[in-house]
């Protein structure tokens, strides 16, 4: 809902509000921060600055309310999961497809629900490759949509980034 509201405000010419709302969504779950690429590609510094300032304010508020130690524990947990692929019957991301190709016997148990969730070691190159595939896909989408009128371009870009995030 916040992402939709952010881009409704953006299409209405309210870049600052759009950036602040998108930062609020990213403060709840970091994934919406990827939509910042739309502001950056459009060279909308007001939206990007509002995003950065709002996100920084939420981060500071969180540290003041909970303390730095809780954040260190959280970041350590994120780091532990970052190097892994989580395979389930419902996760059809490109990294799980890679895991299926490279270690089918282990992954097939998770995909058939014999093992509800399987955590596999993520090869170092795969994480970097997935980020490059995402970024390349987003840039290709932005380039292909540059001739559309503003509202159509924005709608296709928001939808496209959202779909590519799931991969």
């Amino acid at each position: 809902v916040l992402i939709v509201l952010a881009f409704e405000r953006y299409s209405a010419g309210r870049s600052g509000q759009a950036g602040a709302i998108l930062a609020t969504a990213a403060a709840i779950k970091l994934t919406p921060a990827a939509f910042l690429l739309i502001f950056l590609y459009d060279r909308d510094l007001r939206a990007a600055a509002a995003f950065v300032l709002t996100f920084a304010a939420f981060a500071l508020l969180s540290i003041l309310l909970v303390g730095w130690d809780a954040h260190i524990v959280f970041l350590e947990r994120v780091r532990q999961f970052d190097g892994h692929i989580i395979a389930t019957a419902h996760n059809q991301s490109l990294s799980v497809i890679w895991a299926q190709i490279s270690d089918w016997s282990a992954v097939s148990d998770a995909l058939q629900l014999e093992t509800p969730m399987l955590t596999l070691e993520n090869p170092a190159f795969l994480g970097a490759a997935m980020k490059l595939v995402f970024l390349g896909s987003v840039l290709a989408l932005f380039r292909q949509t540059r001739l559309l009128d503003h509202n159509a371009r924005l709608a296709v870009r928001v939808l496209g980034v959202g779909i590519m995030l799931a991969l």
Side-chain angles (χ1 to χ4, degrees):
V1 173
L2 288 173
I3 295 169
V4 172
L5 180 60
F7 285 100
E8 183 280 325
R9 296 284 70 214
Y10 192 59
S11 69
R14 301 296 200 164
S15 296
Q17 289 176 359
I21 294 167
L22 187 62
T24 302
I28 295 168
K29 181 175 174 74
L30 194 54
T31 306
F35 290 95
L36 177 62
L37 292 171
I38 293 172
F39 300 154
L40 295 174
Y41 193 84
D42 287 349
R43 294 185 178 108
D44 192 326
L45 297 180
R46 177 173 286 169
F51 178 93
V52 169
L53 291 172
T54 304
F55 192 81
F58 276 118
L60 182 61
L61 180 63
S62 179
I63 291 168
L64 291 173
L65 290 174
V66 181
W68 184 247
D69 292 340
H71 288 79
I72 294 295
V73 169
F74 174 76
L75 292 172
E76 178 58 28
R77 297 278 165 83
V78 168
R79 190 191 63 73
Q80 289 172 354
F81 275 97
D82 192 40
H84 293 82
I85 298 169
I86 300 173
T88 67
H90 307 292
N91 181 356
Q92 299 302 317
S93 68
L94 292 176
S95 57
V96 173
I97 292 170
W98 168 261
Q100 289 173 333
I101 293 168
S102 63
D103 192 3
W104 174 252
S105 59
V107 178
S108 64
D109 289 343
L111 298 179
Q112 295 172 18
L113 295 178
E114 292 173 20
T115 307
M117 182 175 80
L118 184 63
T119 305
L120 305 166
E121 194 71 29
N122 190 4
F125 78 90
L126 187 59
M130 296 304 296
K131 288 174 179 69
L132 286 173
V133 166
F134 172 75
L135 191 56
S137 300
V138 167
L139 290 175
L141 172 72
F142 288 0
R143 183 161 165 68
Q144 290 298 318
T145 58
R146 71 186 184 283
L147 299 178
L148 296 175
D149 72 84
H150 176 73
N151 288 334
R153 181 176 61 241
L154 185 59
V156 171
R157 288 178 177 177
V158 170
L159 181 63
V161 170
I163 289 170
M164 287 182 245
L165 278 171
L167 299 176

